Amino acid sequence: MNKSNFETLVGFLIIFFALFFLYFAYNKAEKVSSEESYTIIAKFDHIDGINTGSEIKIGGIKVGEVIDKQLDPNTYQAIVHFNIRKSVKIPSDSSAAITSDGLLGEKYVSIAPGAEDTMIKENGELKYTQSAVSLESLIGKMIFSKEDKKEEKGNTSEAKEEVK
């Protein structure tokens, strides 16, 4: 077996194992089919990191997924459509927040169940939402607030020297 044939064989093995891995991952992924679920919506100011297929969790357990997202042309809010398993009933006063798995983890929608006896029906809306927190904006606020404090300290020490 010459070097060229060996390299071709190794290439085919790599492709075979990559396809096997993709097949395995696809079959193991928890999917919520539209036949076993109902759809609800929620409106957010920003949905950074949420895409079609993002998970919906209650208490850390996946109960659904994002199926669509749109922009409301009147309020400029993001409208997110969820598929939720039919076995999971969500009280009408529940809230939804966009959170992430860890510091740099994948974003998902976390639903905190309310206490109402009435449940959200098909095409109902979650009224209480909390938008995604941007890591970049938090870091920017932290950096610029430190610079502002340094400037204030510099101004107060100069003022004290002028008074003397």
Side-chain angles (χ1 to χ4, degrees), residues 15-156:
I15 291 171
F16 171 76
F17 283 115
L19 291 174
F20 176 76
F21 174 75
L22 289 173
Y23 173 77
F24 180 77
Y26 181 77
N27 284 336
K28 290 297 178 185
E30 294 179 46
K31 299 227 181 271
V32 178
S33 73
S34 59
E35 295 146 6
E36 304 168 351
S37 63
Y38 62 102
T39 303
I40 62 174
I41 66 167
K43 295 179 180 179
F44 295 92
D45 290 330
H46 6 243
I47 57 168
D48 300 335
I50 295 294
N51 296 308
T52 302
S54 293
E55 296 181 342
I56 311 299
K57 295 182 180 183
I58 296 178
I61 297 173
K62 181 178 177 180
V63 296
E65 61 188 21
V66 174
I67 58 168
D68 190 25
K69 55 186 184 170
Q70 303 168 335
L71 180 66
D72 184 337
N74 298 323
T75 64
Y76 299 105
Q77 287 185 310
I79 303 172
V80 182
H81 298 256
F82 311 141
N83 263 357
I84 304 290
R85 279 191 231 143
K86 282 190 178 177
S87 61
V88 178
K89 304 297 181 201
I90 300 175
S92 60
D93 64 338
S94 299
S95 64
I98 297 175
T99 58
S100 65
D101 281 332
L103 187 60
L104 299 174
E106 185 176 331
K107 300 253 181 158
Y108 65 93
V109 178
S110 176
I111 296 177
E116 285 287 326
D117 291 335
T118 58
M119 303 296 163
I120 298 176
K121 294 182 174 41
E122 176 79 25
N123 296 320
E125 181 179 347
L126 278 168
K127 300 276 186 216
Y128 310 106
T129 61
Q130 179 181 346
S131 296
V133 177
S134 170
L135 182 63
E136 293 85 8
S137 68
L138 288 176
I139 291 171
K141 285 180 184 177
M142 185 181 73
I143 291 170
F144 291 118
S145 69
K146 286 184 179 181
E147 287 178 4
D148 291 343
K149 288 179 183 177
K150 286 180 184 177
E151 287 177 12
E152 287 175 10
K153 285 182 182 180
N155 290 340
T156 56

